Amino acid sequence: MQFTAQQIATLIQGRLEGNPHAKVSDVAKIEEAVSGSLCFIANPKYEEYLYVTKASIVIVNDSLELMQPVSATLIRVKDAYSGFAFLLEKYNEIISGNEKRGIEQPSYICTTATIGNNVYIGAFAYVGENVIIEDGVKIYPGAYIGNNVVVKENSKIYSGVKIYDECRLGCRVVIHSGSVIGGDGFGFAPLSDGTYKKIPQIGNVIIEDDVEIGVNTTIDRATMGSTIIRKGVKLDNLIQVAHNVEIGENTVIAAQTGISGSAKIGRNCVIGGQVGMVGHIHIADGTKINAQSGISKSVANPNITLNGSPAFEYKSSLKSQAIFRNLPELQQRLLKLEETVQELTALLSIQNLEYKK
Amino acid sequence: MQFTAQQIATLIQGRLEGNPHAKVSDVAKIEEAVSGSLCFIANPKYEEYLYVTKASIVIVNDSLELMQPVSATLIRVKDAYSGFAFLLEKYNEIISGNEKRGIEQPSYICTTATIGNNVYIGAFAYVGENVIIEDGVKIYPGAYIGNNVVVKENSKIYSGVKIYDECRLGCRVVIHSGSVIGGDGFGFAPLSDGTYKKIPQIGNVIIEDDVEIGVNTTIDRATMGSTIIRKGVKLDNLIQVAHNVEIGENTVIAAQTGISGSAKIGRNCVIGGQVGMVGHIHIADGTKINAQSGISKSVANPNITLNGSPAFEYKSSLKSQAIFRNLPELQQRLLKLEETVQELTALLSIQNLEYKK
Amino acid sequence: MQFTAQQIATLIQGRLEGNPHAKVSDVAKIEEAVSGSLCFIANPKYEEYLYVTKASIVIVNDSLELMQPVSATLIRVKDAYSGFAFLLEKYNEIISGNEKRGIEQPSYICTTATIGNNVYIGAFAYVGENVIIEDGVKIYPGAYIGNNVVVKENSKIYSGVKIYDECRLGCRVVIHSGSVIGGDGFGFAPLSDGTYKKIPQIGNVIIEDDVEIGVNTTIDRATMGSTIIRKGVKLDNLIQVAHNVEIGENTVIAAQTGISGSAKIGRNCVIGGQVGMVGHIHIADGTKINAQSGISKSVANPNITLNGSPAFEYKSSLKSQAIFRNLPELQQRLLKLEETVQELTALLSIQNLEYKK
């Protein structure tokens, strides 16, 4: 699907500056935009990007004064951010207008379950004993809701999601297909004969309001107590969250990252893809972690950026990585130096001998 | 299941040379074969492996002249590759002869869906509004096909696959259990209060002909436009393909690799397992990427092999990795050199002093 | 859920020493315990941890003599390990007392299937042709059991698990939601035109007794023969096990690790999360592999610990990683040395000249 500058300007009642036929098929940050991207600039500190961006359309504040020529088509509105947010709302409305209501058959709903109003329960969905499904919740076909689970208002459980017994979901939680909430934590006690005895995992998972969880992500229940995903957290696909982990408000984690047992992650962290984190550590608020990093110890100070496996401070890490690349040259230089020093030593010995004569 | 050289020779009408009772339970490349492997050599440049392989049976061209003794049992046919391909066909026939047909009950098929001939739709499968299922398609139990999805001829959707609305699959596409096609891309706009606003993901996923996708792999829909998997691509298990990615024809990707948003991968690439790739980059045709590599920038020249995280050219990378292993020794040498140079400096100062006296 | 020291002491008939109101919500190893943890010490070599642990409650042998003061509340029983195991049993009993029995409707069970006594088969579960389900097996809603599969006594197949045709599961096997057993191995023969031909995957998966498999893990069927998971193996979530792999008895593997085709892993190995392993290698019994390691060759000697990517011996690897971190400093030292040596060389040349005058 593509939209023209003219269509967008009309929708958000903006003033068009540039090519009205410019087309976008993607939404991007101004600093990452490519041809075909729609962006917005609300914060003046991003204005510098306006003159170099490859974005096709940028929504800007009406008050913006251009310092240089701009290649993108601009759409001016009173408040660029509100304009952009309004655009998103419009899309969301169109999409949710098509959404389903009612209970499809065959589905399996235990008589002890409580089902709110305006709910959608798809065919082959399973709702266990004493489950509470609040108003406006959507449960897509083939989803499984275990006993005693609570799903609060307007949450959306996509097809094939599995939620084990006792877990609790807040309002407006979205869980995409194939994700599993509340599977047993990985806890086994080693016995003297080399076998393992299962440690019962009798806790649950609590997911607070406005959390969105991607596809095929796994969040294990606590051994005892709760694994907790705080308000506003966004998890991508194929992420592993082990037992007793806590992820702080508004933290964002990219795909295939794994968080080991009992790790506590602060608020507003931004964690890249394929990151690994050992158990029982604390990550301070606002920590940023680069993709593929391995976090082997706690991060005490907030707002630090980490990189590498094992990870350390981002800029130092980049330096080490650059030198790693040149290790063969470095080794060569060391070798040459050794030779030179050996020659010098030899020479000096002779001199010394001669000198002492 | 095991097969003897005699059985295979009979099946492909080949001439047996060596032990007719030799058994195989595996198919392998000649350079990777172990005892119990069946191989073939069609290309003369691989003949050298014939004399060192541990394979139990090798299918070769009738015309091949042996230069040294061979431990494997040989089966000679006019054209070794055709013989091997014929063998695979035979297996496939046996397997597909057992496949199911018809529509099992209970299944859920919207009345607006169009279902072709010779289709299998398993129990608990869900087929949404306006879906088009072409001839010969198999949809296994518990699969979910969202609204407006198209599945072309002879594709096979295994049990528990979820395909979100609007996605399009070509002919002979195979998707294994638990994979999810068209989940929302991971797009959230950060707001000034630290929370995130969801960017609607209104694009889709297009999967072209002859693509095979492994188990529990996730391919996200585009923000706008399409995430595209080109003809003949083969994806292994647990792979993450983010929104707006494009993977070129006949590219092969091993398990647990992750491709970030808007990356464009060329044709005929071979990408190992657990590779990570940042977004918005272009990977040239024929690029080979070693397992666990991290690709942080575009690859402009075709047919290059990369390794490491961050990745660079394969052979250089191996050298750096080898030196990394010896870093303690290297550091020791540096330390010793520093001491020697300090001694030399001291000595030279004394000499100089004495000399100048 | 929380338990007090008093409650636990009563349950295991132990003698309480310290605060009877101390609470625990977690079970941990003594060396990893935090406040709120319950631990036990059976082996005297762990006694040293008793004096520094932050655990709230520790179960110890009655015979233990304290050498220093202890902050944790102690519960003394004749045999600490048995007491702990008894506690776990009690939990398990409570949990399994709540488990379901019988066959829910609608489910789909082929008439050729054999179903034992005391079985639970949830709604929307699918049981294929000639399947054998032994006594006490539980198959949760929406699970799929392909043709000719055998599931032996008291195994538990959670919601949404998919088991492909021909696979065989032992007694007391537990498979958590979303895991897929027996998907096709990733085998494709490259053709001269750049396309790939599928190599039929006609083997199966054998899972022996007492194996537990986490959520969304994938175990591919063998090309021919069997992929084998030996007795007592414990696999975490999102693990990839490729075709023809064999994992030895009582080996434990953490989340997101990937094992490539035909690798053979020994007994009693402990493998961390996000580890990658190339194919066709052998890993000796008792090998320990650190998280995020990359194993590129066989491990011949047992009980070695490995780290890094590519991995080598743990302690050496830590040294190399420490120096990696200081590479910028090392490079600086090398540079300084080069300058000094150059000065020395120059000085020596002059001297030499003067000396020779």
Side-chain angles (χ1 to χ4, degrees):
Chain A
M1 234 186 296
Q2 285 193 318
F3 294 84
T4 64
Q6 186 62 67
Q7 287 173 320
I8 294 168
T10 305
L11 197 64
I12 63 174
Q13 300 183 297
R15 192 156 48 84
L16 208 147
E17 212 168 289
N19 177 12
H21 306 300
K23 282 176 183 156
V24 288
S25 60
D26 190 10
V27 174
K29 295 185 214 170
I30 186 77
E31 63 271 34
E32 292 179 353
V34 293
S35 174
S37 296
L38 169 70
C39 309
F40 73 98
I41 296 178
N43 187 328
K45 80 172 179 184
Y46 287 98
E47 277 176 28
E48 55 175 303
Y49 291 107
L50 185 60
Y51 309 107
V52 294
T53 186
K54 290 172 180 165
S56 298
I57 306 177
V58 185
I59 301 173
V60 297
N61 290 332
D62 210 11
S63 58
L64 175 82
E65 287 178 40
L66 292 183
M67 299 304 167
Q68 297 173 36
V70 165
S71 70
T73 295
L74 302 184
I75 299 176
R76 291 178 178 274
V77 290
K78 194 166 174 212
D79 178 55
Y81 182 71
S82 301
F84 182 71
F86 179 79
L87 204 61
L88 299 190
E89 286 302 338
K90 280 288 158 192
Y91 290 163
N92 277 329
E93 270 176 38
I94 293 166
I95 290 163
S96 61
N98 296 327
E99 284 180 346
K100 294 180 168 174
R101 295 277 186 286
I103 296 179
E104 292 176 353
Q105 292 305 336
S107 51
Y108 189 101
I109 303 175
C110 288
T111 53
T112 54
T114 308
I115 310 292
N117 297 313
N118 278 317
V119 160
Y120 168 60
I121 296 182
F124 317 125
Y126 186 101
V127 177
E129 302 285 353
N130 308 311
V131 167
I132 296 172
I133 305 288
E134 291 194 353
D135 294 352
V137 167
K138 289 178 185 17
I139 297 176
Y140 280 73
Y144 170 83
I145 315 290
N147 299 332
N148 307 313
V149 168
V150 176
V151 184
K152 297 180 97 170
E153 288 180 17
N154 297 313
S155 286
K156 201 188 258 186
I157 313 293
Y158 278 98
S159 179
V161 167
K162 312 298 175 197
I163 303 180
Y164 279 55
D165 296 355
E166 317 291 342
C167 295
R168 302 174 67 88
L169 277 63
C171 300
R172 298 171 302 281
V173 168
V174 177
I175 306 182
H176 283 280
S177 283
S179 284
V180 178
I181 310 302
D184 278 4
F186 194 59
F188 297 91
L191 306 194
S192 54
D193 65 353
T195 66
Y196 289 84
K197 190 174 189 74
K198 184 173 176 73
I199 297 171
Q201 303 292 309
I202 61 177
N204 72 346
V205 177
I206 294 175
I207 297 178
E208 295 188 350
D209 297 347
D210 299 305
V211 168
E212 182 154 346
I213 295 171
V215 168
N216 284 355
T217 278
T218 67
I219 303 179
D220 281 355
R221 70 198 306 103
T223 305
M224 297 189 212
S226 300
T227 304
I228 304 176
I229 314 296
R230 294 276 178 216
K231 219 177 143 180
V233 165
K234 311 295 178 190
L235 302 182
D236 200 351
N237 301 348
L238 292 165
I239 289 171
Q240 152 72 353
V241 179
H243 47 178
N244 296 82
V245 164
E246 180 177 335
I247 303 181
E249 281 186 28
N250 300 319
T251 280
V252 174
I253 304 182
Q256 297 179 317
T257 282
I259 317 288
S260 300
S262 301
K264 307 284 178 221
I265 301 175
R267 298 160 170 235
N268 297 100
C269 296
V270 177
I271 301 178
Q274 298 184 335
V275 168
M277 212 177 274
V278 303
H280 296 278
I281 59 175
H282 289 242
I283 305 295
D285 294 350
T287 300
K288 287 186 172 53
I289 303 178
N290 218 29
Q292 292 194 326
S293 294
I295 310 299
S296 54
K297 53 187 183 187
S298 289
V299 178
N301 297 320
N303 303 317
I304 285 173
T305 302
L306 297 169
N307 184 52
S309 174
F312 51 100
E313 191 275 324
Y314 183 65
K315 281 185 189 167
S316 313
S317 165
L318 290 193
K319 277 182 204 159
S320 284
Q321 287 180 345
I323 298 171
F324 175 81
R325 212 173 153 137
N326 289 324
L327 276 182
E329 186 219 310
L330 205 118
Q331 191 183 39
Q332 209 49 48
R333 281 165 56 189
L334 184 66
L335 191 68
K336 202 181 150 196
L337 212 50
E338 285 172 336
E339 287 167 4
T340 309
V341 168
Q342 203 167 5
E343 282 169 26
L344 286 181
T345 308
L347 191 60
L348 214 49
S349 308
I350 295 167
Q351 254 193 27
N352 245 12
L353 282 177
E354 295 198 6
Y355 181 78
K356 284 185 178 166
K357 260 190 246 172
Chain B
M1 234 186 295
Q2 284 193 317
F3 296 84
T4 65
Q6 187 61 67
Q7 287 172 319
I8 293 168
T10 306
L11 196 64
I12 64 173
Q13 300 183 299
R15 192 153 50 82
L16 208 147
E17 214 167 287
N19 176 12
H21 305 299
K23 281 175 185 160
V24 288
S25 60
D26 189 10
V27 174
K29 294 186 216 169
I30 185 79
E31 64 271 34
E32 292 178 355
V34 293
S35 174
S37 295
L38 169 70
C39 308
F40 74 97
I41 296 179
N43 188 328
K45 80 173 180 183
Y46 287 98
E47 278 176 28
E48 56 175 301
Y49 290 107
L50 185 58
Y51 309 107
V52 294
T53 187
K54 291 172 181 168
S56 298
I57 306 178
V58 185
I59 301 173
V60 298
N61 290 333
D62 211 11
S63 59
L64 176 83
E65 287 178 41
L66 292 182
M67 299 304 169
Q68 298 173 35
V70 164
S71 69
T73 296
L74 302 185
I75 299 176
R76 289 177 179 275
V77 289
K78 193 166 174 213
D79 178 54
Y81 182 71
S82 301
F84 182 71
F86 179 81
L87 204 62
L88 299 190
E89 286 302 337
K90 280 288 158 193
Y91 289 161
N92 276 328
E93 270 176 38
I94 294 164
I95 291 164
S96 60
N98 296 327
E99 284 180 348
K100 292 179 169 176
R101 296 277 185 286
I103 297 179
E104 292 175 354
Q105 292 304 337
S107 51
Y108 189 101
I109 303 175
C110 288
T111 53
T112 53
T114 308
I115 309 292
N117 297 314
N118 279 316
V119 160
Y120 169 58
I121 296 181
F124 317 124
Y126 187 100
V127 178
E129 303 285 352
N130 308 310
V131 167
I132 296 172
I133 304 288
E134 291 194 354
D135 295 354
V137 167
K138 290 178 183 18
I139 297 175
Y140 279 73
Y144 170 83
I145 315 289
N147 298 332
N148 307 311
V149 167
V150 176
V151 183
K152 297 180 97 170
E153 288 180 15
N154 297 313
S155 286
K156 202 186 258 185
I157 312 294
Y158 278 98
S159 179
V161 167
K162 312 299 176 196
I163 303 180
Y164 278 54
D165 297 353
E166 319 290 342
C167 295
R168 303 174 68 88
L169 276 63
C171 299
R172 299 171 302 280
V173 168
V174 177
I175 305 183
H176 284 280
S177 283
S179 283
V180 178
I181 311 300
D184 278 3
F186 195 60
F188 297 90
L191 306 194
S192 53
D193 63 353
T195 66
Y196 289 85
K197 190 174 190 72
K198 184 173 176 71
I199 297 171
Q201 303 291 311
I202 61 177
N204 72 346
V205 176
I206 293 175
I207 297 178
E208 295 188 349
D209 298 347
D210 299 305
V211 168
E212 182 153 345
I213 295 170
V215 169
N216 283 355
T217 278
T218 67
I219 303 179
D220 281 354
R221 68 198 307 104
T223 306
M224 297 190 211
S226 299
T227 302
I228 303 175
I229 313 297
R230 295 278 178 213
K231 220 177 141 179
V233 165
K234 311 295 179 191
L235 301 183
D236 200 352
N237 300 350
L238 292 166
I239 289 171
Q240 151 72 353
V241 180
H243 48 177
N244 295 83
V245 164
E246 180 177 335
I247 302 182
E249 282 186 26
N250 301 319
T251 280
V252 174
I253 304 182
Q256 295 179 319
T257 282
I259 318 287
S260 300
S262 302
K264 308 285 177 219
I265 301 176
R267 299 162 169 233
N268 298 100
C269 295
V270 177
I271 301 178
Q274 296 183 337
V275 168
M277 211 178 273
V278 303
H280 296 279
I281 59 175
H282 288 243
I283 305 296
D285 295 349
T287 300
K288 287 187 172 52
I289 304 177
N290 218 29
Q292 289 194 328
S293 295
I295 310 298
S296 54
K297 53 187 184 187
S298 289
V299 178
N301 297 321
N303 305 315
I304 286 173
T305 303
L306 297 170
N307 183 52
S309 174
F312 51 100
E313 191 276 323
Y314 183 65
K315 282 186 188 165
S316 313
S317 165
L318 290 193
K319 277 182 205 161
S320 284
Q321 287 180 346
I323 299 171
F324 175 81
R325 210 173 153 138
N326 290 324
L327 276 182
E329 186 220 310
L330 205 119
Q331 191 183 39
Q332 210 49 47
R333 280 165 59 189
L334 184 66
L335 190 67
K336 201 180 150 198
L337 213 48
E338 284 172 337
E339 287 166 4
T340 310
V341 167
Q342 203 167 2
E343 282 169 24
L344 286 180
T345 308
L347 190 60
L348 214 48
S349 307
I350 296 166
Q351 252 193 28
N352 245 10
L353 281 177
E354 295 199 5
Y355 182 77
K356 282 183 180 167
K357 263 191 242 168
Chain C
M1 234 187 296
Q2 285 193 320
F3 295 85
T4 65
Q6 187 61 69
Q7 287 172 320
I8 293 168
T10 306
L11 197 65
I12 64 174
Q13 300 183 298
R15 192 155 50 82
L16 208 146
E17 212 167 291
N19 177 12
H21 306 299
K23 281 176 186 158
V24 289
S25 59
D26 189 10
V27 174
K29 295 185 214 168
I30 185 78
E31 64 271 34
E32 292 178 355
V34 292
S35 175
S37 296
L38 168 70
C39 309
F40 73 97
I41 295 180
N43 188 328
K45 81 172 178 182
Y46 287 97
E47 278 176 29
E48 55 176 301
Y49 291 106
L50 186 58
Y51 309 106
V52 294
T53 186
K54 291 172 181 165
S56 298
I57 305 177
V58 185
I59 300 173
V60 298
N61 290 332
D62 210 11
S63 58
L64 176 83
E65 287 178 39
L66 292 183
M67 299 303 166
Q68 296 173 38
V70 164
S71 70
T73 296
L74 302 185
I75 299 176
R76 289 177 178 276
V77 290
K78 192 163 177 213
D79 179 54
Y81 182 72
S82 301
F84 183 71
F86 179 79
L87 204 61
L88 298 191
E89 286 303 338
K90 281 288 159 196
Y91 289 162
N92 277 329
E93 269 175 41
I94 293 164
I95 290 165
S96 60
N98 296 327
E99 284 182 347
K100 293 180 168 175
R101 296 276 187 285
I103 297 179
E104 291 175 353
Q105 293 304 337
S107 51
Y108 188 103
I109 303 175
C110 288
T111 54
T112 54
T114 307
I115 309 293
N117 298 314
N118 279 317
V119 160
Y120 168 59
I121 297 181
F124 318 125
Y126 187 102
V127 178
E129 302 284 353
N130 309 311
V131 167
I132 296 171
I133 303 289
E134 292 194 355
D135 294 354
V137 167
K138 290 178 184 17
I139 297 175
Y140 279 73
Y144 170 84
I145 315 290
N147 299 331
N148 307 313
V149 167
V150 176
V151 183
K152 297 180 98 170
E153 286 179 17
N154 296 313
S155 286
K156 201 187 259 186
I157 313 293
Y158 278 96
S159 179
V161 167
K162 312 298 175 196
I163 303 180
Y164 279 54
D165 297 355
E166 318 291 341
C167 294
R168 302 174 68 89
L169 276 63
C171 299
R172 297 170 302 279
V173 168
V174 177
I175 305 182
H176 284 279
S177 283
S179 284
V180 179
I181 310 301
D184 279 3
F186 195 60
F188 297 91
L191 306 194
S192 53
D193 63 354
T195 67
Y196 288 85
K197 191 174 189 73
K198 183 174 175 73
I199 297 172
Q201 303 291 311
I202 63 178
N204 73 345
V205 176
I206 294 175
I207 297 178
E208 295 188 351
D209 297 348
D210 299 304
V211 168
E212 181 154 345
I213 295 171
V215 169
N216 284 355
T217 278
T218 67
I219 303 179
D220 281 354
R221 69 200 303 106
T223 305
M224 297 189 212
S226 298
T227 303
I228 305 175
I229 312 297
R230 296 277 178 216
K231 220 177 141 178
V233 165
K234 311 295 179 191
L235 301 183
D236 199 351
N237 300 349
L238 292 166
I239 289 171
Q240 151 72 352
V241 179
H243 48 178
N244 296 83
V245 164
E246 180 177 335
I247 302 181
E249 280 185 29
N250 300 320
T251 280
V252 174
I253 305 182
Q256 297 180 318
T257 282
I259 318 287
S260 300
S262 302
K264 308 286 178 219
I265 301 176
R267 296 159 172 239
N268 297 99
C269 295
V270 177
I271 301 178
Q274 298 184 336
V275 168
M277 213 177 271
V278 302
H280 297 277
I281 59 174
H282 289 243
I283 304 297
D285 294 350
T287 301
K288 288 188 172 51
I289 304 177
N290 217 29
Q292 291 195 327
S293 294
I295 310 299
S296 54
K297 53 188 183 187
S298 288
V299 177
N301 298 320
N303 304 317
I304 286 173
T305 302
L306 298 170
N307 183 52
S309 174
F312 51 99
E313 191 275 324
Y314 183 65
K315 281 185 189 166
S316 313
S317 166
L318 289 193
K319 278 181 203 159
S320 284
Q321 287 180 346
I323 299 172
F324 175 81
R325 214 175 150 135
N326 289 324
L327 277 182
E329 185 219 311
L330 205 118
Q331 192 183 39
Q332 209 51 47
R333 280 165 58 189
L334 184 65
L335 190 69
K336 200 180 151 197
L337 213 50
E338 284 172 335
E339 287 166 4
T340 310
V341 168
Q342 203 167 4
E343 282 168 24
L344 286 180
T345 308
L347 191 60
L348 215 49
S349 307
I350 295 167
Q351 253 192 27
N352 244 12
L353 281 176
E354 295 196 7
Y355 182 76
K356 283 185 178 165
K357 260 191 247 175

